[in-house]
Amino acid sequence: MHGQKSSLSSIFSPIRACENRVRFDPPHLGGSKADRLFGGQTTAQVAQAVKLLNPECCVHTIKVNFVAPGNITTSLTIDLDRVPETQFVHGHVFQDKREIATCKVRYGGVDDLLDAPVYQMENVRSPLSYATLEELLRTTEERHPWRLLTLLVKNGFFEMRPVDGDHILSVPMDRKALQVWCRISEACRGDEAFAKADGVSIVLMISDYLVAIPAHINLLQYHQEHEFGIGASLNHMVTFHEVSNLDPAGWYLYQANCAVHSYNRYIIDAQIFDTRGRCVLSSVQEGYLRRILESQLSVNRVDVLYFTNKKSSDRMGTARSQICEEKAQTSLRIA
């Protein structure tokens, strides 16, 4: 966790500074760059701030616009203003008097949630029957063309188990949804601040953590992965469908598609399911990928050998089978 002693405390220890202001003290969680604030944390902090000021209500929808990068070492304040006679609040997120995000939140009672989504969880196996992303990267013979997967593992916030490892480690032959089982990592669960954690904040963080992967998969299909580096989110909108009995230490299935991708900008449609098959939330997120300059391509370009022949795929499949040999293979029972 970038060497931070207790970064989860910056999410689950909000401080009411005045009537409509909530402060979160560092250290914060880093994102794709270790010294840059993780956008999923900011979204979770907005939800925490609304809950602190309106303890009897729950968040229905939340939209965050990221207008400037934040850092992990400065206190973060959120100013919330309720729209009179409504259940909407507008907010502004600051660090050192510099605005880094704006937000809009609708809140209310649990009975008013949009709890009948059309999203259906596919018939996938239980989480532990799949290899972790860390194991998949370790058993991949070819060098992977983009650093994002390695950074996600290195950050150590979540344990990630892709339903189809080939879909993200090789050139995909179709446009099916990305599916990854996630839960908060063992290291984070051991953080003393985790005792205050709630499931709503955890799934908000998951919704932002893997968001760039479907965009990178698109680049793999067009063999343009070497032209773009790691980017960031521009805005993030989440609609909750279930908030009851969300286990902060539980497994959640992140499912996402990227059907809109223009140059270095993209839109991700995603859903998160719990182990009972409930669609907890749906989200729409816009992001961008950093363009690598032409002068850098000759130095940074990676010559990639893809899994395009059966022999290579068989070698990879054998390695993964050894990893999963002793893991549970039972199908997930959908309630």
Side-chain angles (χ1 to χ4, degrees), residues 17 33 35 59 65-66 87 108 110 149 153 166 172 192 206 225 228 245-246 250 256 286 291 296 332 335:
K33 294 182 65 176
D35 59 348
V59 171
N65 298 298
F66 302 100
Q87 292 179 313
V110 175
L149 297 182
V153 171
D166 287 333
E192 61 182 17
I206 292 175
E225 71 290 334
F228 296 90
N245 301 316
L246 297 184
E286 181 184 0
R291 176 79 176 185
Q296 297 175 305
L332 180 67

Side-chain angles (χ1 to χ4, degrees), residues 168-313:
I168 60 176
L169 293 181
S170 60
V171 177
M173 303 306 294
D174 52 41
R175 299 187 65 86
K176 68 179 182 179
L178 170 75
Q179 294 177 305
V180 182
W181 281 110
C182 301
R183 71 171 171 181
I184 197 77
S185 69
E186 183 177 0
C188 288
R189 296 197 302 272
D191 188 325
E192 61 182 17
F194 187 70
K196 303 177 183 178
D198 62 279
V200 167
S201 296
I202 297 301
V203 294
L204 281 173
M205 292 168 62
I206 292 175
S207 71
D208 187 74
Y209 198 64
L210 303 171
V211 69
I213 293 181
H216 278 283
I217 290 175
N218 285 350
L219 297 178
L220 283 173
Q221 288 185 311
Y222 297 106
H223 303 286
Q224 292 181 306
E225 71 290 334
H226 59 278
E227 298 178 15
F228 296 90
I230 296 171
S233 297
L234 297 175
N235 57 68
H236 189 185
M237 180 171 179
V238 174
T239 300
F240 277 97
H241 307 298
E242 295 280 355
V243 296
S244 61
N245 301 316
L246 297 184
D247 183 2
W251 284 100
Y252 294 94
L253 181 69
Y254 176 78
Q255 178 174 290
N257 276 294
C258 180
V260 180
H261 195 153
S262 177
Y263 192 58
N264 67 331
R265 290 171 57 197
Y266 57 85
I267 293 177
I268 303 295
D269 289 296
Q271 303 84 42
I272 292 181
F273 300 88
D274 65 9
T275 53
R276 287 175 284 181
R278 300 185 304 168
C279 183
V280 173
L281 64 78
S282 56
S283 68
V284 178
Q285 191 160 357
E286 181 184 0
Y288 80 96
L289 299 171
R290 180 178 57 84
R291 176 79 176 185
I292 297 177
L293 299 177
E294 289 293 332
S295 59
Q296 297 175 305
L297 287 178
S298 60
V299 177
N300 295 337
R301 179 165 183 167
V302 177
D303 293 325
V304 182
L305 297 176
Y306 295 109
F307 303 112
T308 54
N309 60 74
K310 186 176 185 301
K311 182 177 179 181
S312 181
S313 295

Side-chain angles (χ1 to χ4, degrees), residues 13-260:
S13 300
I15 301 169
R16 187 165 187 168
C18 62
E19 182 179 0
N20 67 335
R21 175 174 294 174
V22 179
R23 189 180 81 243
F24 297 85
D25 290 332
H28 305 296
L29 299 179
S32 56
K33 294 182 65 176
D35 59 348
R36 179 180 293 179
L37 185 65
F38 170 40
Q41 171 183 296
T42 306
T43 305
Q45 287 171 323
V46 169
Q48 287 278 335
V50 172
K51 184 68 174 177
L52 182 64
L53 300 183
N54 304 275
E56 302 302 320
C57 299
C58 67
V59 171
H60 290 185
T61 62
I62 179 170
K63 182 176 183 180
V64 179
N65 298 298
F66 302 100
V67 298
N71 64 71
I72 63 173
T73 59
T74 305
S75 291
L76 181 149
T77 59
I78 301 176
D79 292 346
L80 296 173
D81 295 308
R82 181 183 176 185
V83 179
E85 300 181 3
T86 74
Q87 292 179 313
F88 287 96
V89 293
H90 294 289
H92 302 269
V93 184
F94 296 93
Q95 280 189 319
D96 281 336
K97 299 182 180 180
R98 176 173 178 251
E99 189 166 17
I100 63 171
T102 65
C103 61
K104 180 179 180 180
V105 180
R106 182 180 184 273
Y107 63 92
V110 175
D111 293 339
D112 292 328
L113 287 170
L114 294 172
D115 58 357
V118 298
Y119 305 112
Q120 297 294 320
M121 183 175 176
E122 295 184 11
N123 186 24
V124 297
R125 301 195 306 271
S126 59
L128 294 181
S129 66
Y130 299 102
T132 66
L133 180 58
E134 181 178 10
E135 291 168 334
L136 293 177
L137 290 174
R138 190 170 61 245
T139 57
T140 298
E141 296 182 3
E142 285 81 354
R143 184 179 177 186
H144 203 270
W146 34 287
R147 296 172 51 238
L148 177 62
L149 297 182
T150 302
L151 288 174
L152 291 177
V153 171
K154 184 179 179 180
N155 281 345
F157 302 152
F158 292 98
E159 179 182 346
M160 298 162 286
R161 295 178 179 266
V163 171
D164 185 352
D166 287 333
H167 187 59
I168 60 176
L169 293 181
S170 60
V171 177
M173 303 306 294
D174 52 41
R175 299 187 65 86
K176 68 179 182 179
L178 170 75
Q179 294 177 305
V180 182
W181 281 110
C182 301
R183 71 171 171 181
I184 197 77
S185 69
E186 183 177 0
C188 288
R189 296 197 302 272
D191 188 325
E192 61 182 17
F194 187 70
K196 303 177 183 178
D198 62 279
V200 167
S201 296
I202 297 301
V203 294
L204 281 173
M205 292 168 62
I206 292 175
S207 71
D208 187 74
Y209 198 64
L210 303 171
V211 69
I213 293 181
H216 278 283
I217 290 175
N218 285 350
L219 297 178
L220 283 173
Q221 288 185 311
Y222 297 106
H223 303 286
Q224 292 181 306
E225 71 290 334
H226 59 278
E227 298 178 15
F228 296 90
I230 296 171
S233 297
L234 297 175
N235 57 68
H236 189 185
M237 180 171 179
V238 174
T239 300
F240 277 97
H241 307 298
E242 295 280 355
V243 296
S244 61
N245 301 316
L246 297 184
D247 183 2
W251 284 100
Y252 294 94
L253 181 69
Y254 176 78
Q255 178 174 290
N257 276 294
C258 180
V260 180

